[in-house]
Amino acid sequence: MWAEPKWDGYRTVAPVDPAGVTLWSRQGKELSRIFPELCAAVRAQVPPGVVLDGEALIWHGDRQDFEALQRRLVTSRADLPALVGELPASFAAFDVLAIAGRTSGVCRSRGAGSCSRNWPRTGPLR
């Protein structure tokens, strides 16, 4: 039996368009400024027209560090670049909400794990 992991991060939607990536929280707050490395990683690896649903995470060794994630939200613009280097974030994608700008039910119909099972386990996209 396969079980999905419990993520200890911020639920994030990442729509990709030709101009770039914008990260959004479940509450509709833009998170792009707080996680610039995630925007860059998604833009480099995901084509325009795709919308990913996932979790923004910070890892400390082999464990997720929610406290470190919260530090990113309250850090000033001036101090954020240093914190990004010190506490880099990862994005665990677990669903594809759209492909080529059209809603996709593929991952939901197969189970979220089927879409993320073959993704890299290291680096910003997991």
Side-chain angles (χ1 to χ4, degrees):
M1 176 182 266
W2 190 81
E4 292 185 25
K6 163 67 175 101
W7 301 112
D8 197 12
Y10 294 134
R11 183 74 176 264
T12 307
V13 174
V16 183
D17 63 38
V21 176
T22 307
L23 302 177
W24 297 97
S25 74
R26 186 183 323 191
Q27 294 79 22
K29 178 179 179 180
E30 186 176 347
L31 301 174
S32 305
R33 179 188 72 81
I34 298 165
F35 300 109
E37 75 277 36
L38 298 186
C39 291
V42 171
R43 185 172 188 183
Q45 298 178 53
V46 180
V50 171
V51 179
L52 297 176
D53 184 13
E55 199 92 3
L57 306 160
I58 292 181
W59 292 88
H60 185 84
D62 63 348
R63 301 181 60 96
Q64 298 165 41
D65 189 343
F66 189 74
E67 183 178 309
L69 195 67
Q70 288 181 308
R71 284 181 53 198
R72 295 281 287 266
L73 288 181
V74 298
T75 299
S76 71
R77 285 185 187 270
D79 293 337
L80 188 61
L83 196 57
V84 167
E86 178 187 338
L87 301 169
S90 296
F91 184 74
F94 47 76
D95 207 348
V96 178
L97 301 179
I99 299 172
R102 296 179 54 179
T103 303
S104 169
V106 173
C107 292
R108 285 183 295 285
S109 67
R110 292 184 191 163
S114 69
C115 288
S116 62
R117 199 168 285 135
N118 296 319
W119 284 40
R121 298 293 178 226
T122 61
L125 293 184
R126 295 181 185 217

